[in-house]
Structures are given as structure tokens and as C-alpha cells.
Amino acid sequence: HTRCSRDWSSDVCSSDLLDSLHFLKRQLFYLPFAIAIMVIVSMLSVRGIRRIAVVVFIVSLVLTALTPLFGAEIKGAKRWLSMGPLTIQPSEFVKPAFAVVAGWMFALQRIQNNFPGNLVSICLFLLVLTLLARQPDFGMIVLVGTIWMVQFFISGLSMFWVRRLIILGACGIRSEEHTSELQSRLHLVCRLLL
């Protein structure tokens, strides 16, 4: 990973007239903070992790919603927010927080029969997909969608719905190149599946 960062950093920085190890140095600067956060989170209780995940999820959703409005456009996509000296990609915080929150909702569905955990998870998933599509960040959509579908399958999703979700995902991937056709294809697939 370090070699890849160094090689990539060298190519990009040589074109921007920066130090050839600029990005590597930045990554190494933040590494102790990342390790500290990882150690602290690993010592939390399940309840504490859920609480943090909900807070991170809500804050990162708000920031992801603001990114298309206030973010810097790079290669046609607005994924980054500048916050003083920091530049962050809020969708990177959505990803782990959403995985924890969705897993929690799936678990609550199984533990408490009257709690609509699957429905809550589906609604949150659609909200995340909508926000990511506005940037657009197709790679993140595929990653979040795959994680969510695996979680849903593990929580007891029937094969009937697994097949339909795979077809829906395949149509979404195929139509990614033609985003103007995405709505019509999804509408057609939804009509066929339901």
C-alpha cells in the first residue's frame, strides 16, 4: 500500500510541481490519529459503537447532502468538502456508519418481531444511494450496495428477493454509463419484479 501511495504520489505531484512524496507524507502524518481512533473504538461496548455509528451516520449524511452544493468539482464529480485546512469526503464516513446502522436494524427485525428493521434499513439504503448518485460516486454506490445486500442476505432474506436485487443491481451497473436512461430502466425492472 505504501509503495502504491508513493508511486501514485510521485506521478501526481510531478505534474503539480509538489514534493514527490507529498501524499505519502500526508498519509503518514494522519496514521497515528487513525490508529488511536481504531484502538479506542475497538474498546467500546456494542452499545457505544451503535451510538457513535448513529451520530457519524447522521452527520456524514448531512455533509454528503451538502457536498453537491458546496463541494469542489473534480473530473465532473463533487465528492470533497473543504473544512478549513482539512478536505474530507463525507461518503467515506457514511460507508462504515451505514454498515453498522443497517446491521443493527436487521438484528432488531429478528429480535423484536414488531420492529420494522428491514423497512428502516431499506429506506436508509435508498437515502444513501440517492445522495451518492447526486455526486455521482458510482464506485461507492456499488460498494455500499454490495455490503448492504450481503447483510440483508445474512439476516434471512429469501432467495426470491436475492434474485430480484441481483437483477436490479445488474441493470443499475449496466445503465451507469447512460445515466439518462437509469430512471427508465429502473422503472421497467421494478415493474417486472413487482
Side-chain angles (χ1 to χ4, degrees):
H1 179 49
T2 303
R3 175 156 170 68
C4 292
S5 295
R6 187 186 56 165
D7 290 345
W8 184 79
S9 172
S10 178
D11 291 342
V12 171
C13 290
S14 65
S15 65
D16 291 339
L17 302 173
L18 295 174
D19 176 22
S20 64
L21 298 176
H22 172 75
F23 290 112
L24 178 63
K25 288 176 183 176
R26 279 185 58 181
Q27 293 295 322
L28 291 176
F29 175 77
Y30 290 113
L31 184 63
F33 300 109
I35 291 172
I37 290 170
M38 188 171 61
V39 169
I40 291 168
V41 170
S42 72
M43 292 189 292
L44 291 174
S45 67
V46 173
R47 186 179 204 166
I49 291 172
R50 287 177 184 160
R51 286 180 179 165
I52 288 175
V54 168
V55 170
V56 169
F57 183 64
I58 292 169
V59 170
S60 59
L61 269 183
V62 170
L63 292 176
T64 301
L66 295 174
T67 302
L69 303 172
F70 302 108
E73 186 170 334
I74 300 171
K75 296 183 181 179
K78 290 187 176 183
R79 298 179 189 146
W80 296 87
L81 281 178
S82 293
M83 303 176 83
L86 292 176
T87 303
I88 65 166
Q89 185 177 2
S91 60
E92 287 294 337
F93 295 94
V94 168
K95 188 172 38 179
F98 175 67
V100 173
V101 171
W104 183 21
M105 294 301 106
F106 290 136
L108 283 178
Q109 173 81 29
R110 294 179 64 87
I111 294 169
Q112 301 175 4
N113 290 336
N114 59 348
F115 184 79
N118 291 351
L119 180 61
V120 171
S121 181
I122 290 169
C123 291
L124 292 175
F125 176 64
L126 293 174
L127 175 63
V128 169
L129 287 186
T130 301
L131 292 176
L132 292 175
R134 289 182 59 214
Q135 294 185 357
D137 193 349
F138 185 70
M140 187 71 74
I141 290 172
V142 170
L143 186 60
V144 169
T146 302
I147 292 168
W148 181 79
M149 283 193 280
V150 168
Q151 285 182 307
F152 207 169
F153 178 71
I154 290 171
S155 74
L157 182 65
S158 71
M159 287 305 292
F160 174 82
W161 287 108
V162 169
R163 284 190 287 271
R164 276 141 184 84
L165 286 172
I166 289 172
I167 292 169
L168 188 62
C171 289
I173 290 170
R174 178 144 165 74
S175 62
E176 183 271 333
E177 295 175 1
H178 310 285
T179 52
S180 61
E181 298 175 20
L182 180 60
Q183 275 188 323
S184 62
R185 286 187 186 204
L186 289 178
H187 180 69
L188 175 65
V189 169
C190 287
R191 282 190 13 221
L192 291 172
L193 295 177
L194 304 173

